[in-house]
């Protein structure tokens, strides 16, 4: 057993999953995208919402994780999403990730049933932690009510932290509500609980409030400038940097985000297979691709070293 | 390859899944519950919402389905839920079910992403049908927006029926909105599309409108009287029967439905292990169990031949 990992910090990307025309995951492009992100100093929150992780089976995720490890991607830079609807699936993926030595896991609550109690969610997280039974486990709770429709409340965090002060390491707040992020940092930051912003729109605010950084979709396509703000947030130009990040994000957000980010990579690398998404998502059509390219040109969007991905 | 099954009709139950204290599914009690339901002439919509199906892995569901078939449960009486978030999971489960010769499959749309387009949902269902590629496949679309938060619209049904007139066999409408069920029956019933009510509260209305019956949670515990209404709905006492069903349902609905139905079976069979649910659901505590028993006694609730389950 290796030692517990040091806590991750900085900018993470819910890594986009490249698919082939037949909808199978493309491990080769996945590895190359991860290498490119690491070169930009972005951590790898593989199997997140923007990774279409819930559109893949546990077996497909296992194979992709194994492919990354075999390709020499450092496990310490990985924060895989391992929270599924099925308790047994969450346990299997979390065990695998921890045994691989990942920096942490990002855990959705079970999201099929709505209106579930904090008691039920507590039991769900506790059951996974107890079943994994590994000192190295670091859980980041994934609060994304606009998608999961199942919230992680302050009361739930408090109870989990009390029962599992070592395993419960932090959260990703994708509520889009900065006041919630701030309240979580204030309430639990002093205990070492790391509250990541769920978007770079709140990166500067997060760092100023004492947060660790952000886990954000757009780091898949705009990593350099997001990381630059992370590194220089005390500089005088920090607010100007934040504004520039917001402008680029807004250009993507005119379109469905996941297909749009994939279309941007297809465009910048010339690899049309990057366009593929799994149903129920729909890839951008030719007209949308042109509109996206125009919007991105207008904000001066670039992808440095995109050749690594081609 | 066997012939296409005849279309199922009548009353179906989303069969409750019994769990052991360690949260593993109990195949033995599952088989016995299915046998008891069949004896009451209730069809087996295993792996539905009330089965906690999404709280189980694909492997766990495969094993339970195999156990039923090995126990001699007739496949033609099964309508397993096979719609998952992951396309690959839906394909795997649907293939297995069709190859076993089930009467039909009940298919949720992929339910993680919200606000997805009809185009995306069309591609999701079409991808499963194309991948399964079996003439015997009969898909019942599962519309349960209060839980899935992803709706199956009339436009989507129309498009699917046009493309797959044989494979798209019907739907279960758990919207709780009778006007929606009625509109679906009127629009697509003439093409042989069977619109099941998602609750026995609408059983009489469904049959009067030309529908095939209902797929309802409470058939797990109150099958005899629900089936009786199905068989005698043209009789003079049909409305009185419907009212009696509603009263029993209301007694359960004072509590979280799934734990309450399990608690009722635990009570009537003396098997305390029937109380177990998987997180994020929470089993009824002792006080709730007493309150449930009092409420059920008040409405004269009985479970005929409960000894079969003990």
């Amino acid at each position: 057993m290796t030692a517990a990992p040091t806590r991750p910090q900085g900018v993470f990307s819910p890594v986009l999953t490249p698919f082939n025309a037949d909808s199978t995951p493309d491990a080769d492009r996945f590895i190359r995208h991860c290498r490119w992100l690491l070169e930009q100093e972005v951590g790898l929150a593989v199997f997140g919402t923007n990774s279409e992780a819930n559109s893949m089976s546990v077996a497909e995720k296992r194979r992709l994780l194994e492919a990354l490890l075999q390709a020499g991607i450092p496990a310490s830079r990985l924060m895989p999403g391992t929270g599924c609807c099925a308790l047994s699936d969450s346990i299997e993926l979390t065990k695998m990730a921890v045994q691989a030595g990942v920096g942490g896991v990002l855990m959705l609550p079970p999201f099929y049933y709505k209106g579930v109690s904090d008691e039920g969610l507590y039991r769900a997280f506790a059951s996974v932690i107890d079943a994994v039974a590994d000192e190295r486990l670091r859980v980041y709770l994934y609060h994304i009510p606009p998608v999961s429709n199942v919230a992680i409340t302050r009361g739930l965090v408090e109870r989990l932290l009390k029962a599992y002060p070592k395993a419960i390491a932090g959260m990703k707040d994708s509520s889009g509500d900065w006041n919630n992020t701030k309240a979580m940092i204030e309430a639990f930051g002093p205990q070492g609980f790391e509250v990541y912003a769920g978007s770079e729109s709140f990166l500067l605010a997060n760092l100023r409030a004492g947060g660790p950084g952000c886990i954000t979709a757009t780091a898949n396509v705009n990593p350099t400038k997001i990381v630059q703000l992370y590194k220089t947030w005390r500089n005088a130009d920090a607010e100007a940097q934040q504004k520039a990040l917001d402008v680029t994000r807004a250009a993507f957000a005119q379109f469905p985000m996941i297909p749009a980010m994939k279309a941007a990579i297809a465009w910048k690398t010339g690899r049309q297979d990057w366009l593929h998404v799994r149903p129920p998502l729909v890839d951008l059509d030719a007209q949308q691709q042109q509109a996206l390219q125009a919007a991105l040109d207008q904000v001066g969007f670039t992808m440095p070293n995109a050749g690594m991905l081609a």
Side-chain angles (χ1 to χ4, degrees), chain A:
Chain A
M1 191 180 281
T2 59
T6 52
R7 297 235 164 155
Q9 294 280 330
V11 176
F12 279 75
S13 159
V15 182
L16 290 166
T17 308
F19 292 107
N20 296 306
D22 67 358
S23 234
T24 52
D26 182 344
D28 177 60
R29 276 185 291 142
F30 188 53
I31 293 164
R32 276 185 292 144
H33 188 47
C34 285
R35 284 197 181 124
W36 180 76
L37 289 168
L38 286 179
E39 196 178 78
Q40 312 288 330
E41 301 181 59
V42 167
L44 306 172
V46 296
F47 312 147
T49 299
N50 286 276
S51 315
E52 299 170 77
N54 286 310
S55 301
M56 292 191 283
S57 68
V58 168
E60 287 170 327
K61 286 182 263 198
R62 288 187 74 105
R63 283 196 294 270
L64 284 176
L65 189 56
E66 278 160 12
L68 290 185
L69 297 168
Q70 278 166 15
I73 300 289
S76 62
R77 291 292 279 149
L78 290 166
M79 191 195 286
T82 63
C84 306
C85 286
L87 185 61
S88 33
D89 287 341
S90 301
I91 292 170
E92 179 180 344
L93 273 174
T94 305
K95 259 190 192 157
M96 186 201 177
V98 171
Q99 283 163 6
V102 299
V105 298
L106 192 54
M107 207 179 287
L108 276 171
F111 53 85
Y112 181 62
Y113 296 104
K114 306 305 184 299
V116 293
S117 64
D118 273 4
E119 172 66 25
L121 294 176
Y122 174 83
R123 291 186 191 186
F125 286 112
S127 297
V128 177
I129 296 169
D130 291 345
V132 171
D134 193 312
E135 292 259 306
R136 295 167 296 177
L137 174 61
R138 295 293 175 272
V139 175
Y140 292 80
L141 305 166
Y142 188 5
H143 179 57
I144 182 169
V147 182
S148 65
N149 289 347
V150 176
I152 291 168
T153 65
R154 264 186 277 174
L156 176 60
V157 175
E158 190 171 1
R159 207 174 144 195
L160 283 167
L161 259 177
K162 201 170 169 186
Y164 302 99
K166 245 175 107 174
I168 299 294
M171 76 187 297
K172 175 185 181 190
D173 183 2
S174 294
S175 64
D177 172 7
W178 168 248
N179 286 330
N180 186 64
T181 314
K182 192 164 167 279
M184 288 284 186
I185 293 174
E186 286 168 3
F188 307 116
Q191 297 168 60
F193 184 80
E194 308 268 31
V195 184
Y196 283 88
S199 152
E200 80 277 22
S201 316
F202 302 110
L203 177 55
L204 183 56
N206 183 280
L207 296 168
R208 283 179 173 168
C214 66
I215 303 173
T216 182
T218 354
N220 275 290
V221 285
N222 193 28
T224 325
K225 291 178 181 171
I226 300 175
V227 170
Q228 192 188 341
L229 174 56
Y230 172 70
K231 288 180 164 177
T232 63
W233 68 274
R234 290 176 198 273
N235 287 6
D237 70 344
E239 295 200 2
Q241 284 190 58
Q242 178 68 65
K243 267 182 200 155
L245 296 183
D246 296 346
V247 166
T248 300
R249 187 179 180 94
F252 279 99
Q254 293 170 49
F255 305 87
M257 278 294 277
I258 298 169
M261 293 187 293
K262 287 188 156 181
I265 298 176
W267 174 40
K268 291 297 182 186
T269 61
R271 290 215 42 167
Q272 293 303 297
D273 49 5
W274 259 106
L275 288 167
H276 301 307
V277 291
R278 268 200 174 174
L281 302 187
V282 176
D283 50 306
L284 297 196
D285 64 25
Q287 201 176 351
Q288 288 173 308
Q289 289 172 47
Q290 282 181 356
L292 172 71
Q293 292 169 15
L296 293 179
D297 273 339
Q298 204 167 15
V299 300
F301 173 75
T302 56
M303 278 180 69
N305 299 327
M308 276 184 78
L309 300 171

